[in-house]
Amino acid sequence: MQKVLIANRGEIACRVIESCRRLGLKTVAVYSDADAVSRHVELSDEAFRVGPSQAKDSYLVIDNVLEAARKSGADAVHPGYGFLAESTRFARAVMEAGIHWIGPHPDSIEDMGDKERARELAIAAGVPVLPGSPRFSGPLDESLNEAAEATGFPLLVKASAGGGGIGMQLVEDPARLLEVAKATHSMAEKAFGDGSIFLERYVRNARHVEVQVFGFGNGHAVHLYERDCSIQRRYQKIIEESPAPGLPAYMREQMCSVAAQLCQHQNYAGAGTVEFVVDVDTLEFFFLEMNTRIQVEHPVTEMCTGTDLVAMQIDFAREQLAPMAQEAVRHQGHAIECRIYAENPDKMFMPSPGKLERFRMPQPSDDVRVDCGVREGDEITFFYDPMIAKLICHGATRDAAIARMLHALDEVEIEGVKNNVAFLRRCLGHSAFAAGDVSTGFVDAHKQDLLD
């Protein structure tokens, strides 16, 4: 492996370029018209246009990305997260072209991308799952009501091919079940090309906890401990931390163990994340889904374990990563990540595109990390996710990490776009957050305190 094409943009493309440089590998960027002068293009050794500004016409066009790989002579592809990262068809196309695929086997992507199939595999591996229904692919008839009664209300209607909160709707009133199911079916058909749905019990007072895993494809896998991702808006994460505050040690150990167990059962190869929902009232946890890629929040794990997960992905793909023992993975201190977005918290967190007239981030150090894909003067466009940067802070204790993050957020300067920096400060400074009293309903429960 000599040259890696990064089939992505923005912050994650810059992040992969960073690890490639440390490993002595050349990099190839791809870009749309909107990203022609972007930071990831500037940092790469070569760059190729893959289409106009809309992602569906550029970054998501497999033939265009593969043509860039052929023209550049890239012998490996890293997909980052989002876009084609969990596309079975893309992974297979890369491998069929004789190019190293820096990711799990396409069969694993396919299995875990189908949320109902993933539930079946989790059950087979001995991982606890929430009560749920079989898949509904065809007409939504009386059998839907029967499945709902067996699952129990409140419940979630979920797209089988969905993920990251996309294609998921809550139903508390049985009278609304059919209406919501039809709407989710229609949305899933348009978004994923697969309109099938299933039902899953909804945990009202829930936390979202996930476990970073790495499998070696031979039945051996390790976990790199857990991250709490409960602070969310619109079902999407904004603050992540490790370790998960307030959970009993035995529960964290069990959760990490069964996550690795699932990977071992599936002969999983590469980096992945097993996500769980935790019932705050009963302290039970249940399998939610598995993401077969690097996560946005992976720096939290890297700060606590001293690892470079992207470099591990690359070294595994080029057969230079020896299987590690679980005992070799150490967790130290506490890390917190804040996602800084160009959005308006006071208007339902709507994106706020525009020019970054001023953009200053804290000076990086051993305990303060900045992952960013933009520069001062760049445009935050409406074509893509409005994340500006990720700020990650580490401390010996959770209190120390929070204090360091609050100080770091005070140093952030952004002008030209609305942003969520003040909102993040309020979240971290809230007494409930300080006490570790977090849940996926945190923002709604404290919105009067958090919103200006």
Side-chain angles (χ1 to χ4, degrees):
M1 190 184 295
Q2 302 294 324
K3 187 185 290 187
V4 179
L5 181 141
I6 299 116
N8 219 297
R9 64 174 299 279
E11 172 269 324
I12 187 58
C14 296
R15 167 70 186 88
V16 176
I17 289 169
E18 181 185 314
S19 284
C20 287
R21 281 181 172 174
R22 283 201 288 263
L23 295 172
L25 300 172
K26 297 289 186 182
T27 56
V28 180
V30 293
Y31 63 90
S32 70
D33 289 344
D35 284 337
V37 293
S38 62
R39 184 169 183 260
H40 79 278
V41 170
E42 177 188 339
L43 291 177
S44 63
D45 296 299
E46 301 173 61
F48 289 81
R49 178 183 181 272
V50 287
S53 298
Q54 293 279 2
K56 66 181 179 62
D57 300 319
S58 52
Y59 295 109
L60 292 172
V61 181
I62 291 174
D63 289 345
N64 292 3
V65 177
L66 287 178
E67 180 63 19
R70 282 190 286 267
K71 284 181 179 178
S72 66
D75 53 6
V77 168
H78 193 299
Y81 54 71
F83 290 153
L84 296 170
E86 292 177 286
S87 167
T88 304
R89 191 161 71 89
F90 181 53
R92 289 197 171 119
V94 169
M95 295 170 74
E96 287 166 4
I99 300 171
H100 290 286
W101 168 248
I102 303 175
H105 193 277
D107 289 348
S108 294
I109 298 174
E110 187 169 42
D111 284 340
M112 293 302 166
D114 182 322
K115 302 311 173 191
E116 191 204 9
R117 171 70 175 149
R119 280 169 54 88
E120 294 171 353
L121 294 173
I123 291 169
V127 182
V129 302
L130 283 164
S133 76
R135 181 199 318 262
F136 291 91
S137 301
L140 301 173
D141 52 24
E142 187 58 34
S143 60
L144 182 71
N145 290 322
E146 294 171 2
E149 286 183 23
T151 301
F153 287 90
L155 58 79
L156 291 170
V157 179
K158 304 179 78 171
S160 295
I166 302 170
M168 181 168 69
Q169 293 199 62
L170 172 63
V171 180
E172 300 193 73
D173 181 0
R176 294 196 63 238
L177 176 63
L178 187 59
E179 170 197 344
V180 172
K182 286 181 176 178
T184 306
H185 170 83
S186 176
M187 187 282 298
E189 185 67 48
K190 292 174 184 173
F192 311 116
D194 178 359
S196 61
I197 60 170
F198 68 98
L199 311 179
E200 187 175 81
R201 176 79 59 80
Y202 175 68
V203 178
R204 192 176 297 280
N205 193 10
R207 287 175 64 174
H208 185 145
V209 181
E210 63 188 25
V211 177
Q212 177 70 55
V213 291
F214 203 98
F216 295 88
N218 58 358
H220 176 61
V222 296
H223 69 77
L224 291 90
Y225 299 91
E226 87 287 357
R227 302 181 287 252
D228 189 294
C229 308
S230 299
I231 308 298
Q232 306 177 4
R233 67 2 175 197
R234 293 189 284 111
Y235 292 117
Q236 293 188 317
K237 308 160 189 172
I238 47 175
I239 298 175
E240 301 97 352
E241 60 181 312
S242 181
L247 291 186
Y250 76 86
M251 185 179 178
R252 293 173 51 224
E253 290 169 8
Q254 187 180 6
M255 199 179 300
C256 291
S257 177
V258 298
Q261 191 173 302
L262 175 59
C263 295
Q264 292 161 359
H265 186 267
Q266 292 302 302
N267 290 323
Y268 187 80
T273 300
V274 182
E275 304 199 355
F276 297 96
V277 59
V278 175
D279 189 322
V280 175
D281 298 324
T282 65
L283 284 184
E284 296 175 288
F285 67 88
F286 305 94
F287 174 80
L288 186 62
E289 64 182 8
M290 181 174 184
N291 293 315
T292 52
R293 53 171 168 79
I294 200 76
Q295 293 275 95
V296 179
E297 57 272 21
H298 74 274
V300 172
T301 295
E302 293 181 329
M303 291 283 271
C304 288
T305 60
T307 54
D308 181 334
L309 287 164
V310 174
M312 287 174 64
Q313 288 182 298
I314 295 168
D315 281 342
F316 182 75
R318 60 179 181 169
E319 300 181 355
Q320 292 187 16
L321 182 69
M324 64 179 69
Q326 184 61 60
E327 296 74 28
V329 184
R330 299 296 178 88
H331 189 290
Q332 292 186 318
H334 198 101
I336 299 176
E337 173 179 287
C338 286
R339 302 189 194 186
I340 298 174
Y341 282 97
E343 65 183 20
N344 189 343
D346 297 325
K347 293 193 175 178
M348 303 282 292
F349 301 94
M350 290 297 293
S352 175
K355 185 177 181 179
L356 282 171
E357 302 286 356
R358 182 172 178 80
F359 179 50
R360 297 284 189 276
M361 293 293 286
Q363 185 67 30
S365 67
D366 288 345
D367 293 312
V368 177
R369 172 171 163 177
V370 177
D371 282 17
C372 185
V374 295
R375 303 149 301 191
E376 187 170 279
D378 283 352
E379 288 279 339
I380 305 297
T381 77
F382 56 83
F383 293 112
Y384 314 114
D385 183 85
M387 187 167 70
I388 299 172
K390 300 182 316 196
L391 184 56
I392 311 97
C393 293
H394 183 268
T397 65
R398 186 171 187 262
D399 287 346
I402 291 173
R404 186 161 282 136
M405 178 63 78
L406 286 168
H407 183 268
L409 287 169
D410 284 340
E411 295 183 340
V412 176
E413 299 177 33
I414 299 174
E415 294 178 11
V417 297
K418 297 280 188 182
N419 62 82
N420 68 336
V421 171
F423 175 78
L424 292 168
R425 281 198 203 100
R426 293 189 194 107
C427 286
L428 282 128
H430 198 280
S431 58
F433 186 88
D437 183 12
V438 295
S439 73
T440 55
F442 181 89
V443 171
D444 285 338
H446 303 291
K447 63 173 59 175
Q448 279 194 311
D449 297 331
L450 303 177
L451 299 178
D452 187 7

